[in-house]
Amino acid sequence: MSLAAPNRPAKRRRRLQMPVSVMIGLAVVVLMLAIALLAPWIAPTDPTNVASFDLMSAELPPAFMPDGDPAHWLGTDNQGRDLFSAILYGMRVSIAIGGGAVLVAASIGVVLGLLAGYFGGWVDIVIMRVGDVILSLPTILLALLVSGIARAIFPEAGTAQWAPVILIGAIAIHEWVQYARTVRAATMVEASKDYVRAARVIGLPSLHIMVRHILPNVMSPVMVIATINLAAAVLTEATLSFLGVGMPPTYPSLGTLIRIGNEFVFSGIWWIAVFPAVTLVILVLAVNVVGDWLRDRFNPKLKGR
Amino acid sequence: MKPAALSITDLTVDYPLADGSVVTAVSGVNLTVAPGEIHALVGESGAGKTTIGNALMGLLQAPGRVAKGRIEIGGKPVDIRTGRTDGIVQGKDVGAIFQDPMTSLNPLFTVESQLGETMRHHLGLSRAEARRRSLELLRAVGIPEPERRLKSYPHQLSGGQRQRVVIAAALCCGPKLIIADEPTTALDVSVQAQILKLIRGLADERGVGILLVTHNMGVVAEVADRVTIMLKGQVVESGPVAEVLGAPQHAYAKALIGAVPRVDVKLPRLPVPAQESPGTAAAREQVRARMGGGEEAKAGVLSVDNLVVEYGARGGFFGGSRVFRAVKGVSFTVEPGEIFGLVGESGCGKTTVANTIAGLAKPTSGSVTLGGLPIGAKRGGVARKALQMVFQDPYSALNPRLRVTTAIAEPIAFYHLAATKAEAVEDAALLLESVGLDREAGARFPHAFSGGQRQRIAIARALAPRPRFLVCDEPTSSLDVSVQAQILNLLKDLRDLAGLSILFISHDLAVVRQMCDRIAVMKSGEIVEQAPTEELFAAPSHPYTRELLSLVPSLDKIAREPVAV
Amino acid sequence: MIASIGSRLGQAVLVMLAVTAIAFVMFRYVGDPVAMMSREDASPAEKAELRASLGLDRPAIVQYGDFLGRTLKGDLGISFRNQRPVVDLLAERLPATLELVIVATLLSLSVGIPIGVYCALKPDGALTRAIQTISLVGISMPTFVTGIGLILIFAVTLRWLPSFGRGDVVQIGGWSTGFLTRSGWASLILPSITLALYQLTLIMRLVRAEMIDVLSSDYIRFAKARGLPSRYINFRLALRNALMPVVTVTGLQIGSLIAFAIVTETVFQWPGMGLLFIQAVSFADVPVMAAYLLFVGFLFVVINMIVDLTYTLIDPRLRTRRA
């Protein structure tokens, strides 16, 4: 009725028109996931197996350069590890940790957000205040603290076995708040809608209303945030590993490889840092392209963080 | 003779779509507004009336375009070759009044700045001159303490005052034409009456032509000189208000006007064609049989006794707590099979009463009982099942992710009213038929339905637990008038069918008169008068009731054809 | 108004209490201070004595109270690593980090706002699309990769700019500034661009989103219907509404920018607090970690309060509520 009402004809017909860029992004994401999954079968050598290292062929340039060895087409690192294999395995580690952090953070955040939004009162106050305090510390700082503390208490924390767990915890401890806030706000909106009020008048139990009525209606922003956060989590993991508190060099993620390579940048041995960095950026960019499109598509109001 | 304020000939507005097809929002419309005349443009949603207003105000949204036609403003032809109304100087040639005064003023700028900027731009006035003129305008639109208000920000003004500022801004450069798009829809009746009076005065005293876009026939009858009725982008009837509203010629116009609830006389049913599916009658019989059985069948008396509801507004550490009393000791009873109306303006507490009875809000004190059983926040299964609710907004009343059958069958299963899942689904299908929808409708999601159909589904869901009592909170106020009439008829049918008691909450006195057996009038959390409907309308005893009745814009001033029912 | 300031203060105190509690727990329980501070061959008796002299044998809550008191007095303990008061270490490093963060913030605002506005006003333009694409690459680029890339190009290959350190600094009182020397500025360029790029995309996207939102609001439509020129509507009216949330976000971002400086400082060996912190993390130098945490928490709270105050000054809805 009002002038502000969107013109209906203009809104129609915008089904699944995926721009080419998003299709490419999606293809890249799928491809990289597949490679990560199949790394042990694709990679020429096992970069986690010290026996495969050959110090004699350390710091070999990529195959296309004058001194390159065709056996190592992206070259080798300072320990003679095949860089191509290391990148494939590193991608696997990065994606696993990023995805793990997103899963943990989203599960915690959705449950707490639903509870806070639906019940309000002190449940809401406690959850949101804890979230406020956590958010008042930047992700990277909190993650550094968590892994720093973990290392100080628990000497095993830096090993290939435990580092992923610590990393997932260190990232998720900050990221859950965002899900909780979004879900809480969406839950409050949905809970005030008449279909939820109708369910309450009918007498359905709270748990049933939350799970069956509200949850499906608040999940689309969660999916969008999860996609965008996957990119952010991969970046955080890479940053932590780059700073030396992430994955150990014996089981490197992309960030660890860049850290190793960074020491050699000045001596002209650029490939150890550059190839993992390019891989990382392509991975994150592809996820971001898809996430961005999802955000605009499902929820134009959901703004960037 | 002075040239017409607005003259539109054969206007067509198209929306070319991405897939190459074209939606024609307005087609071949002719319209004239004389100086000093209020010309009402009415129609239901999608009629194209707002599109015409937008085109004239230069707010037509891409890809919408004026495809053909001729527009003249104050005798001056408007260039439409670009698909837009080029050449109209918005603000100077055409003033605009929007629906919601809460959002049409920029919250960060003062009244003076928002009035003055237009004049300084269009008339090249100095700051001081603009201030003097702004002051004059505020006086002209009847704002108290205009000097102080000049320095106010929008949030410091009431809704009515804001709308007056909006009107002043529309007037400030002396336009020949004002487009008023639903200017009073967001306002209470009493404020609405003042704003309508103001608009009438502007037309009379300043000779401005006003194009009044509205869906409210009462408003049209109250202030307009001429009226044009639109349907699906086309004009179906146009002429002087008394003629068109009093003796409509076109079938749609007749139906539309007939569907407007009357304040002057109560009709047994609203005169609109019933919308029924083939199985409706049979389904209703079965639904009645099911609802009639069982020990809960004896509909109890709903008794609300000295109900008080407070909302605690808790401040911060130093804020202290401020308590708002939404309902201040309300008592009434609703007899079995009765439709009891609760009317009042927004904020009077009527919705809080409804929420409390339905268990959505907690009473501070007082009691609510149904057939002797306590209901409200702490109610047992029997009472809970016996009382259901129908809400105002049919778009949010249904879960968009549940199929209709699932939504209706959910309470049936929850209360074990069906032995098997198949039986529950069959029950849901019967309910759908009984509210006038096809049983196949159940397989679809809510978005496939119109507002009126959704409200039918919501009613079917409310009936699913086989209640004895329905609370209806403004069940038709967001619906078009013809759909409203159908839903009102449906509710009456259901009452007659199953002996339901209904608590009917509304701000619309005409609707209440058509629906209710008894009425309570609420003001500021209290019931000021309570009486049988006919008595209340014939001889209102409380001054507030009398005031409300006098303010309702209605068609009563126009002799209407007696409607055969 | 008073109530809202009150609740804000309350929240600030809560945050500070939480942060000090974490810092205390770190101090007290992470790593054994006695083991850290005594000689390798100290006897159990000596250790017990040290424990008692440090007050570590008293109840935790008393120790926490003590810790709070010392913190308020500015005593944040002694670094395990180089045995100097932590406060001195932080104070030495503070100017480097603040100068870096301030320059980066100014840089990102002065570039981000105009670009964001442009993208909102010309949503379908070719340039807008190009900017959007680049910005997506921007947020996908981790800060350290940007830094390494810039070093590779401008320091290693082109040899135009220095790749580490602050260059020559000038001492003014206790403050060492790089703003007064040529080499100071030259050293600042790459790190500040690195740090600014991350925030730039955020600011740009926020301004764009807010601006688009405001432009479709009723009051802007009403302004259009009054025939005001679009330049006036866009820049005088809409921009002001759109910049309100930018104030908040910029304020909040300064906090995370300081944290992000950890990465930038590591890449460029910039002698700021971030570098200090990351060195502390790898040496498990708990007092430094805890103090840095306290400092960032405190800074964040202060910035939050300033943002809130600014908000009440620029938003009439809050300003006039005092009356």
Side-chain angles (χ1 to χ4, degrees):
Chain A
M1 263 315 106
S2 82
L3 280 176
N7 272 309
R8 238 175 276 165
K11 253 196 142 176
R12 257 198 260 150
R13 285 250 147 245
R14 231 198 271 157
R15 286 264 131 160
L16 258 172
Q17 286 175 354
M18 207 187 256
V20 183
S21 59
V22 178
M23 281 197 256
I24 296 174
L26 197 60
V28 171
V29 172
V30 171
L31 184 73
M32 289 183 120
L33 279 177
I35 292 176
L37 214 64
L38 302 173
W41 291 276
I42 300 175
T45 63
D46 180 357
T48 59
N49 179 6
V50 188
S52 77
F53 296 7
D54 180 7
L55 274 175
M56 293 304 286
S57 59
E59 296 167 27
L60 276 180
F64 53 82
M65 299 228 330
D67 294 331
D69 177 352
H72 306 289
W73 74 281
L74 291 183
T76 56
D77 73 357
N78 57 327
Q79 302 202 45
R81 172 161 40 192
D82 179 51
L83 206 51
F84 177 61
S85 308
I87 287 175
L88 294 192
Y89 271 77
M91 212 160 76
R92 182 181 163 92
V93 175
S94 294
I95 290 176
I97 294 175
V102 165
L103 271 182
V104 171
S107 319
I108 297 173
V110 167
V111 170
L112 292 183
L114 263 180
L115 292 175
Y118 190 75
F119 289 111
W122 66 265
V123 178
D124 183 26
I125 291 173
V126 169
I127 293 175
M128 285 302 121
R129 281 293 169 277
V130 171
D132 283 349
V133 171
I134 286 179
L135 276 199
S136 65
L137 299 171
T139 323
I140 196 78
L141 177 62
L142 197 63
L144 279 171
L145 278 174
V146 170
S147 49
I149 294 174
R151 275 151 188 268
I153 301 177
F154 180 52
E156 301 272 286
T159 61
Q161 198 185 351
W162 286 103
V165 179
I166 305 286
L167 282 169
I168 288 176
I171 299 169
I173 198 174
H174 192 272
E175 300 294 298
W176 70 266
V177 183
Q178 207 192 342
Y179 296 92
R181 285 191 168 185
T182 308
V183 169
R184 169 181 176 264
T187 301
M188 281 164 54
V189 170
E190 295 301 320
S192 71
K193 281 192 183 165
D194 289 342
Y195 74 87
V196 174
R197 301 173 71 214
R200 287 173 59 196
V201 174
I202 287 171
L204 302 175
S206 299
L207 187 66
H208 178 97
I209 296 179
M210 275 192 276
V211 172
R212 187 143 168 76
H213 287 274
I214 298 181
L215 189 61
N217 284 299
V218 299
M219 275 315 273
S220 51
V222 170
M223 300 318 270
V224 175
I225 298 178
T227 314
I228 294 170
N229 264 3
L230 176 62
V234 168
L235 281 186
T236 308
E237 185 280 324
T239 305
L240 290 174
S241 291
F242 175 78
L243 291 175
V245 291
M247 292 302 290
T250 50
Y251 206 105
S253 74
L254 292 175
T256 321
L257 290 174
I258 301 171
R259 174 184 171 81
I260 296 170
N262 188 36
E263 293 166 26
F264 296 90
V265 163
F266 290 100
S267 39
I269 301 172
W270 50 268
W271 54 87
I272 307 179
V274 168
F275 288 129
V278 169
T279 313
L280 176 65
V281 172
I282 291 176
L283 171 65
V284 175
L285 180 62
V287 175
N288 269 335
V289 166
V290 177
D292 226 43
W293 176 74
L294 280 178
R295 173 169 61 189
D296 291 350
R297 169 111 181 62
F298 283 108
N299 199 348
K301 284 261 159 194
L302 190 81
K303 284 169 204 148
R305 292 190 298 153
Chain B
M1 195 183 116
K2 280 217 291 193
L6 171 70
S7 155
I8 292 176
T9 324
D10 197 23
L11 181 74
T12 297
V13 179
D14 284 342
Y15 283 89
L17 299 183
D19 61 3
S21 65
V22 172
V23 173
T24 304
V26 172
S27 127
V29 165
N30 298 311
L31 193 75
T32 316
V33 182
E37 178 183 84
I38 299 182
H39 191 127
L41 195 54
V42 296
E44 298 182 295
S45 342
K49 54 190 196 304
T50 293
T51 307
I52 295 182
N54 279 348
L56 292 169
M57 289 185 286
L59 294 175
L60 203 55
Q61 277 178 352
R65 58 189 307 277
V66 179
K68 67 179 170 112
R70 197 178 150 77
I71 301 174
E72 280 180 25
I73 290 189
K76 193 174 79 179
V78 175
D79 182 7
I80 57 158
R81 277 171 306 181
T82 57
R84 314 194 69 84
T85 48
D86 292 345
I88 296 185
V89 183
Q90 269 80 33
K92 200 172 172 193
D93 296 338
V94 178
I97 305 172
F98 285 8
Q99 171 175 348
D100 191 351
M102 295 298 170
T103 57
S104 41
L105 295 172
N106 191 322
L108 299 188
F109 295 87
T110 59
V111 168
E112 178 184 347
S113 150
Q114 300 194 44
L115 283 178
E117 63 188 5
T118 319
M119 288 186 280
R120 284 168 58 201
H121 172 68
H122 286 306
L123 310 176
L125 300 184
S126 70
R127 204 173 278 267
E129 183 67 6
R131 171 173 310 161
R132 200 181 56 72
R133 290 278 288 273
S134 305
L135 208 56
E136 265 172 32
L137 281 166
L138 288 190
R139 282 204 189 94
V141 296
I143 286 192
E145 299 182 85
E147 289 85 357
R148 198 159 74 83
R149 287 306 171 200
L150 220 44
K151 294 271 168 268
S152 295
Y153 286 92
H155 69 272
Q156 296 166 309
L157 306 177
S158 71
Q161 286 173 335
R162 286 190 211 195
Q163 197 61 312
R164 285 173 194 269
V165 171
V166 169
I167 293 173
L171 279 177
C172 63
C173 298
K176 301 187 178 60
L177 176 71
I178 287 182
I179 316 281
D181 185 47
E182 304 276 2
T184 58
T185 307
L187 304 172
D188 265 335
V189 215
S190 50
V191 185
Q192 163 170 287
Q194 296 163 16
I195 297 291
L196 288 179
K197 209 169 134 200
L198 175 62
I199 292 177
R200 182 71 254 178
L202 297 178
D204 293 343
E205 289 155 27
R206 300 188 174 225
V208 192
I210 292 171
L211 183 66
L212 177 70
V213 178
T214 183
H215 71 284
N216 187 329
M217 292 295 175
V219 167
V220 176
E222 203 75 24
V223 294
D225 302 300
R226 299 176 70 83
V227 59
T228 294
I229 298 176
M230 289 185 69
L231 171 67
K232 292 179 184 147
Q234 287 177 319
V235 171
V236 296
E237 191 156 345
S238 181
V241 166
E243 272 174 36
V244 175
L245 298 194
Q249 300 302 309
H250 190 278
Y252 174 73
K254 272 186 194 165
L256 184 68
I257 292 159
V260 178
R262 309 176 64 149
V263 191
D264 55 342
V265 55
K266 178 167 183 172
L267 306 169
R269 281 177 74 82
L270 286 141
V272 281
Q275 199 201 36
E276 294 190 349
S277 69
T280 301
R284 281 194 182 160
E285 208 36 62
Q286 277 181 280
V287 167
R288 182 164 78 132
R290 287 179 193 203
M291 293 184 57
E295 90 282 4
E296 309 92 276
K298 288 147 214 118
V301 177
L302 176 92
S303 150
V304 176
D305 190 27
N306 203 19
L307 183 70
V308 176
V309 185
E310 288 173 350
Y311 292 121
R314 214 175 58 98
F317 285 94
F318 310 108
S321 70
R322 203 188 290 158
V323 170
F324 173 65
R325 283 197 138 193
V327 177
K328 307 167 185 167
V330 161
S331 307
F332 60 87
T333 56
V334 183
E335 299 297 325
E338 184 182 42
I339 303 184
F340 185 84
L342 202 53
V343 282
E345 294 184 288
S346 58
C348 73
K350 56 187 193 299
T351 293
T352 307
V353 172
N355 286 345
T356 313
I357 293 172
L360 294 171
K362 282 198 180 87
T364 308
S365 67
S367 74
V368 183
T369 56
L370 181 63
L373 294 167
I375 57 171
K378 283 176 288 177
R379 46 206 176 116
V382 176
R384 193 181 285 170
K385 171 178 163 308
L387 186 138
Q388 292 301 317
M389 189 159 177
V390 177
F391 297 90
Q392 173 177 355
D393 178 14
Y395 288 89
S396 79
L398 300 173
N399 187 340
R401 313 234 167 200
L402 287 189
R403 285 178 205 278
V404 167
T405 301
T406 319
I408 299 176
E410 189 177 45
I412 299 176
F414 179 71
Y415 285 111
H416 309 294
L417 297 174
T420 61
K421 190 159 182 285
E423 223 177 280
V425 169
E426 172 58 23
D427 248 20
L430 275 181
L431 283 167
L432 278 177
E433 281 187 321
S434 74
V435 296
L437 292 168
D438 293 333
R439 50 170 55 218
E440 285 73 30
R444 285 183 275 168
F445 286 99
H447 65 78
F449 298 94
S450 70
Q453 288 170 326
R454 286 180 197 217
Q455 199 61 307
R456 286 171 193 272
I457 296 169
I459 291 172
R461 181 187 53 192
L463 294 178
R466 300 179 191 167
R468 305 305 314 154
F469 196 100
L470 273 190
V471 177
C472 301
D473 186 8
E474 302 267 12
T476 60
S477 57
S478 54
L479 301 175
D480 275 332
V481 61
S482 56
V483 182
Q484 160 172 290
Q486 290 168 359
I487 297 291
L488 294 179
N489 284 344
L490 171 65
L491 285 172
K492 277 193 173 180
D493 290 347
L494 291 173
R495 188 266 303 255
D496 297 343
L497 176 79
L500 282 173
S501 316
I502 296 178
L503 174 65
F504 192 93
I505 315 268
S506 179
H507 69 284
D508 189 331
L509 283 165
V511 167
V512 168
R513 166 148 221 191
Q514 297 307 316
M515 285 301 289
C516 302
D517 303 313
R518 280 191 307 135
I519 294 173
V521 180
M522 272 190 87
K523 187 193 182 204
S524 322
E526 284 164 359
I527 289 181
V528 297
E529 182 168 2
Q530 201 175 150
T533 307
E534 291 312 306
E535 209 173 285
L536 187 101
F537 278 84
S541 67
H542 194 277
Y544 180 70
T545 314
R546 282 199 290 272
E547 189 195 336
L548 271 187
L549 281 173
S550 73
L551 290 174
V552 180
S554 75
L555 303 188
D556 303 348
K557 293 178 188 152
I558 293 152
R560 288 210 274 190
E561 286 176 62
V563 200
V565 181
Chain C
M1 182 68 197
I2 288 174
S4 89
I5 285 185
S7 84
R8 276 292 171 190
L9 266 177
Q11 204 174 326
V13 170
L14 204 71
V15 170
M16 278 323 289
L17 276 179
V19 170
T20 46
I22 299 173
F24 168 70
V25 170
M26 285 171 64
F27 254 130
R28 178 63 190 82
Y29 301 104
V30 177
D32 183 3
V34 176
M36 286 286 191
M37 292 175 77
S38 56
R39 296 184 325 275
E40 299 260 329
D41 56 349
S43 68
E46 280 175 312
K47 284 188 179 174
E49 196 181 323
L50 181 59
R51 193 177 297 276
S53 76
L54 289 173
L56 297 179
D57 51 353
R58 290 171 303 155
I61 190 78
V62 179
Q63 292 188 45
Y64 177 57
D66 247 27
F67 174 78
L68 271 185
R70 271 184 284 134
T71 304
L72 285 176
K73 275 186 267 168
D75 174 9
L76 295 174
I78 310 271
S79 158
F80 292 161
R81 193 159 77 99
N82 46 18
Q83 300 295 329
R84 288 181 56 203
V86 173
V87 176
D88 293 356
L89 287 174
L90 278 181
E92 263 168 38
R93 301 296 193 97
L94 178 69
T97 297
L98 279 191
E99 285 186 0
L100 177 62
V101 167
I102 287 168
V103 171
T105 303
L106 292 180
L107 207 60
S108 58
L109 285 178
S110 57
V111 180
I113 294 175
I115 295 183
V117 171
Y118 178 87
C119 290
L121 293 181
K122 295 230 165 37
D124 297 320
L127 187 56
T128 300
R129 270 199 223 132
I131 293 171
Q132 295 279 85
T133 309
I134 295 171
S135 85
L136 210 53
V137 179
I139 56 168
S140 307
M141 224 36 144
T143 315
F144 61 94
V145 168
T146 321
I148 294 174
L150 289 176
I151 289 177
L152 256 178
I153 298 169
F154 293 100
V156 177
T157 312
L158 298 171
R159 298 178 186 281
W160 285 355
L161 293 166
S163 64
F164 62 87
R166 287 183 83 190
D168 300 323
V169 293
V170 177
Q171 289 287 338
I172 302 174
W175 189 275
S176 68
T177 178
F179 288 161
L180 298 174
T181 62
R182 212 182 131 78
S183 72
W185 277 106
S187 308
L188 193 55
I189 293 177
L190 291 185
S192 60
I193 289 179
T194 305
L195 194 52
L197 275 180
Y198 166 76
Q199 206 194 7
L200 178 68
T201 41
L202 275 181
I203 301 263
M204 191 209 96
R205 289 173 157 237
L206 178 71
V207 169
R208 171 178 165 268
E210 286 298 326
M211 193 79 181
I212 287 176
D213 240 30
V214 171
L215 285 177
S216 65
S217 71
D218 253 13
Y219 51 82
I220 293 300
R221 292 165 59 79
F222 187 54
K224 282 183 192 159
R226 278 178 285 155
L228 295 172
S230 50
R231 179 178 280 273
Y232 180 87
I233 291 180
N234 292 341
F235 295 108
R236 173 137 164 71
L237 304 182
L239 186 58
R240 200 197 285 199
N241 295 76
L243 285 185
M244 303 292 279
V246 177
V247 173
T248 323
V249 170
T250 308
L252 300 186
Q253 275 304 112
I254 289 180
S256 65
L257 220 53
I258 286 175
F260 248 88
I262 296 174
V263 182
T264 314
E265 289 177 6
T266 308
V267 175
F268 291 92
Q269 292 296 302
W270 187 264
M273 293 187 305
L275 200 58
L276 182 72
F277 175 72
I278 200 69
Q279 285 160 351
V281 170
S282 39
F283 285 95
D285 191 348
V286 177
V288 175
M289 280 162 70
Y292 180 79
L293 170 68
L294 271 179
F295 178 76
V296 171
F298 176 71
L299 207 65
F300 195 88
V301 166
V302 169
I303 291 170
N304 241 326
M305 298 292 281
I306 294 174
V307 168
D308 278 353
L309 277 179
T310 320
Y311 230 90
T312 52
L313 285 182
I314 57 178
D315 190 333
R317 282 165 293 190
L318 297 174
R319 194 195 315 154
T320 45
R321 206 160 288 166
R322 268 178 298 192

